[in-house]
Amino acid sequence: MDKAIPWVEEKTGLTLSESQRDAIRLVVNSKVTIITGGPGVGKTTLVNSLLKILRAKQVQVLLCAPTGRASKRLTESTGLEAKTVHRLLEFDPKVFAFKRNEDWPLESDLLVIDESSMMDVVLMNQLLRAIPDGAGVLIVGDVDQLPSVGPGAVLADLIDSNRIPTVRLTEIFRQAQTSQIIVNAHKINQGKLPERTTNGKTSDFYYIAAETPEEIFDKLIQVVTERIPQKSVFIRSVTSRC
C-alpha cells in the first residue's frame, strides 16, 4: 500500500484524503468491506482508485448495481462495464430464476456492488449465493438513503451487525461544497437545520415553509405544475439566446 497509493494518485492526478487512504488499506486487506457516506464525500474517487490498484495486479473485477440507471452511472464513472444484478446473474424469464448460483458461480476475484442501499434481502441473497468462495466483495452505498422497495434494509443491517469492516466517509470535498443539496443533506443527517437560500441567490436547494398537510399539498402542486415548468422555460430561453 505504501507504493500503491502514491502510484494511483499519480495515475489519476488526484490527492486522496487520509480517510480514503485508510479505506484503501482496509479494503485490500479484507475479504468483505462496506464503503458508505453521503453525497460528495468521495466514494466514486475511492472506488476508482481501488479498481486501478487491483486491476494493475490482474485482479478480475465485476461491477453491478440494482437498477439500470445506477449501473449506467457506475459504467460512466469507472470506465468499466457494470451490469444490473439481474443481468449479472443471468435472469431467465422462462423459469423465473437466475442461472448463476452456487452451482454455477460468477467468474470474478472481486465483486463491487454499488448503490447497495437499494438491495433488498431477496436479491442480495441470490447475489451472494453466486459469488465464488475465493472472491472478495465490496459493498458501496449511502446508508442514509431511503431503504429498498423490497423487504429488508440490507445495507443498514450489515453495518449495524458490526461483523463487516466498514468505512464511513464524512468529509465533503471542495467541488461538492458548491451544491446546497449536498451541504444540507449532511446538515440534516447531523440534526441541524438546512441553510436557506437568500433572496436573489441562485441555488440547487430551495426551502418552502408550510404548516399543515393541506398547505404542504397545495404548495407541492404549485411547485410541480407552475414554478418548475416556468423555471425550465426560462432556462431554455436563455440557452437559446446564448
Side-chain angles (χ1 to χ4, degrees):
M1 285 299 96
D2 292 337
K3 293 181 180 179
I5 292 175
W7 174 83
V8 79
E9 288 180 327
E10 182 181 354
K11 287 288 184 182
T12 60
L14 300 172
T15 300
L16 298 173
S17 67
E18 195 57 42
S19 60
Q20 288 175 320
R21 294 177 184 179
D22 291 341
I24 288 176
R25 295 186 183 97
L26 182 65
V27 173
V28 170
N29 289 287
S30 303
K31 182 81 167 178
V32 183
T33 318
I34 296 171
I35 296 175
T36 189
V41 295
K43 295 192 297 293
T44 299
T45 299
L46 174 56
V47 170
N48 285 342
S49 298
L50 277 163
L51 292 178
K52 284 187 180 296
I53 291 171
L54 295 173
R55 293 182 75 238
K57 293 296 181 181
Q58 308 304 314
V59 173
Q60 186 177 358
V61 179
L62 288 178
L63 309 178
C64 69
T67 67
R69 178 174 292 183
S71 62
K72 183 179 179 181
R73 285 202 305 267
L74 186 58
T75 297
E76 292 170 349
S77 64
T78 62
L80 304 172
E81 183 186 16
K83 299 179 179 179
T84 63
V85 175
H86 286 75
R87 185 179 168 205
L88 183 71
L89 297 179
E90 301 182 33
F91 181 74
D92 187 350
K94 294 181 181 179
V95 296
F96 210 75
F98 295 109
K99 294 180 180 179
R100 294 286 187 168
N101 50 42
E102 62 269 31
D103 297 323
W104 189 35
L106 299 167
E107 298 168 1
S108 174
D109 300 315
L110 174 69
L111 176 67
V112 179
I113 311 168
D114 197 20
E115 297 291 356
S116 58
S117 61
M118 293 189 283
M119 294 285 288
D120 61 34
V121 171
V122 176
L123 189 58
M124 181 63 89
N125 176 51
Q126 296 292 328
L127 180 57
L128 294 180
R129 288 171 57 199
I131 299 173
D133 292 340
V137 181
L138 175 59
I139 304 171
V140 184
D142 182 357
V143 71
D144 293 317
Q145 287 185 347
L146 291 173
S148 61
V149 176
V154 174
L155 180 60
D157 289 344
L158 288 175
I159 293 172
D160 291 342
S161 72
N162 294 318
R163 299 293 299 272
I164 299 175
T166 300
V167 175
R168 185 184 287 268
L169 301 174
T170 57
E171 178 184 352
I172 305 177
F173 288 90
R174 188 181 307 163
Q175 60 269 29
Q177 292 176 356
T178 59
S179 169
Q180 286 300 108
I181 291 177
I182 291 177
V183 171
N184 284 329
H186 286 271
K187 282 184 174 292
I188 292 169
N189 281 339
Q190 296 164 7
K192 300 177 182 178
L193 289 173
E195 295 180 3
R196 301 192 187 189
T197 305
T198 56
N199 291 334
K201 183 179 179 182
T202 58
S203 174
D204 58 359
F205 177 90
Y206 294 91
Y207 182 95
I208 301 173
E211 296 293 336
T212 65
E214 293 77 17
E215 187 181 3
I216 292 172
F217 177 82
D218 291 339
K219 289 189 174 182
L220 180 61
I221 294 298
Q222 183 187 28
V223 166
V224 173
T225 61
E226 299 177 20
R227 295 176 63 174
I228 291 177
Q230 288 172 3
K231 183 81 171 178
S232 300
V233 169
F234 172 76
I235 291 173
R236 286 199 299 270
S237 176
V238 170
T239 303
S240 63
R241 287 202 299 270
C242 293

